[in-house]
Amino acid sequence: MDGLKKYLLTVHPVRKTGAQKREFRQWLIRELKRAGWKAREEDYGKWNGSVNVVAGDPDRASVFLCAHYDTGSRMLAANFVSPTNVAAHICYHLAAALALVAAAFGLALAVSFPLNQPGLMLPLFLVLAVAGLWMAAYGPANRNNANGNSSGVLALLAAARETGFDQRVCLVFLDNNERNLLGASAFKKKHGEKAAQCLFINLDCVGDGEDLLLIPSKYSRWDAGLLETLEEAFPEGEEMRPHVLAKGLQYYPSDNKKFKFHVAVCACRYLAGVGYYIPHLRTKKDTVLRVENAAYIARSLKRFLGRYLEEDG
């Protein structure tokens, strides 16, 4: 596990360009084959631009384990995520958007006012605002991506090794999470029946924090058998503190949103007054990837699959 982590963070720390992703996928497929899984690339054409790595047979599987492998651009402020405090999540991102607009307005004013060109103000403001949004989505790559989402990749690889091949399980390493979930959208379109009926467990940002949140979708939270199995398979007293959140309002903005029956899995820190949150995403401080987290998740997924598939079968 330590060797996988070191290789991932030193050889493939950034997976943003086509070449970077291609080299990473070649390594990933080799590692999956070593773990006993038959893996392949699933390409969805130039219009979508995504290439997912699929291990197992989607047509025969009843449980899908997912993690996105692409990494995003650098942001001036952290991409704050608080799954259990939706108000804080919305307010933070609204404030970030207003700060961007204010900065664009200030720069436009600073240029147009000295030139005595009031007509220049609006077009310059619009250009600067659009440029700021473009930089946030497609700007220079963030160099440190330990938690987002090298942690999910490591945990899913660990699960592949821990569980071994099972034809009832499919592993999906999704592309283009950072581009409006295009990889998940393409997989859903190609495998529509499975995407609508099967359980998807999505691992995203599971490396920084000892509190592990398991968040069922609004459809999955009514499955009492699923919730009971999650509670049993993710026990307390090991490396992490698991929390199955089947009540109240939660929001986790990742690939899980594309699948009806899902469980989003993320690791969080806790701050009084804020609740659970994920720190440092898409900044240079994203350097924490706890191997203990990946090991705990892999063992727990093995327990979960053993129980859930037995009951489902």
Side-chain angles (χ1 to χ4, degrees), residues 63 65 199 201 225-226 229-230 233-234 263 299-310:
V63 177
L65 307 181
L199 175 65
I201 299 179
L226 169 63
T229 306
L230 287 172
F234 289 80
V263 177
R299 289 197 310 272
S300 298
L301 284 174
K302 181 179 181 179
R303 289 188 290 254
F304 172 81
L305 291 171
R307 294 180 173 100
Y308 183 80
L309 292 173
E310 182 180 352

Side-chain angles (χ1 to χ4, degrees), residues 88-111:
H89 180 90
I90 293 174
C91 289
Y92 179 90
H93 287 274
L94 180 60
L98 291 175
L100 175 64
V101 170
F105 180 83
L107 285 172
L109 183 63
V111 172

Side-chain angles (χ1 to χ4, degrees), residues 3-251:
L4 281 177
K5 171 187 171 180
K6 183 176 180 180
Y7 192 91
L8 187 59
L9 297 185
T10 56
V11 180
H12 300 292
V14 178
R15 304 173 296 276
K16 193 171 188 292
T17 68
Q20 289 166 343
K21 292 180 182 180
R22 183 166 54 251
E23 291 175 1
F24 167 77
R25 290 194 301 269
Q26 292 170 354
W27 170 78
L28 176 63
I29 289 173
R30 290 196 300 269
E31 289 299 324
L32 288 166
K33 288 182 178 179
R34 288 193 184 101
W37 292 79
K38 184 178 181 181
R40 60 183 175 83
E41 293 184 354
E42 198 168 83
D43 193 322
Y44 307 96
K46 292 183 178 180
W47 180 256
N48 181 279
S50 300
V51 183
N52 296 334
V53 174
V54 179
D57 186 352
D59 294 329
R60 302 175 70 178
S62 55
V63 177
F64 292 77
L65 307 181
C66 308
H68 78 86
Y69 69 85
D70 61 309
T71 59
S73 57
R74 176 78 175 272
M75 296 180 69
L76 295 177
N79 181 24
F80 175 78
V81 177
S82 181
T84 59
N85 192 335
V86 179
H89 180 90
I90 293 174
C91 289
Y92 179 90
H93 287 274
L94 180 60
L98 291 175
L100 175 64
V101 170
F105 180 83
L107 285 172
L109 183 63
V111 172
S112 60
F113 184 77
L115 295 176
N116 195 26
Q117 295 289 332
L120 181 63
M121 178 72 183
L122 180 59
L124 184 57
F125 164 71
L126 293 175
V127 168
L128 291 171
V130 171
L133 292 173
W134 185 91
M135 286 291 289
Y138 303 104
N142 192 42
R143 308 306 301 178
N144 297 328
N145 304 286
N147 192 27
N149 189 32
S150 297
S151 62
V153 170
L154 181 64
L156 192 48
L157 271 174
R161 289 182 168 187
E162 184 76 25
T163 63
F165 172 73
D166 189 325
Q167 66 181 12
R168 299 168 296 177
V169 180
C170 183
L171 313 179
V172 188
F173 293 82
L174 295 162
D175 192 8
N176 283 330
N177 168 276
E178 303 292 349
R179 292 182 58 204
N180 200 30
L181 314 182
L182 286 178
S185 296
F187 188 86
K188 177 181 178 180
K189 184 176 181 180
K190 184 166 185 175
H191 306 282
E193 184 176 348
K194 291 292 184 176
Q197 298 178 359
C198 294
L199 175 65
F200 284 73
I201 299 179
N202 185 53
L203 310 178
D204 193 358
C205 301
V206 295
D208 189 355
E210 296 181 2
D211 288 288
L212 188 71
L213 307 189
L214 299 106
I215 309 173
S217 68
K218 64 180 180 180
Y219 301 100
S220 296
R221 64 170 56 186
W222 297 106
D223 186 340
L226 169 63
L227 301 183
E228 183 179 351
T229 306
L230 287 172
E231 295 277 5
E232 294 173 353
F234 289 80
E236 295 192 32
E238 296 184 13
E239 295 93 339
M240 305 192 75
R241 296 184 294 268
H243 309 275
V244 179
L245 305 179
K247 296 181 180 179
L249 179 63
Q250 292 92 32
Y251 175 72

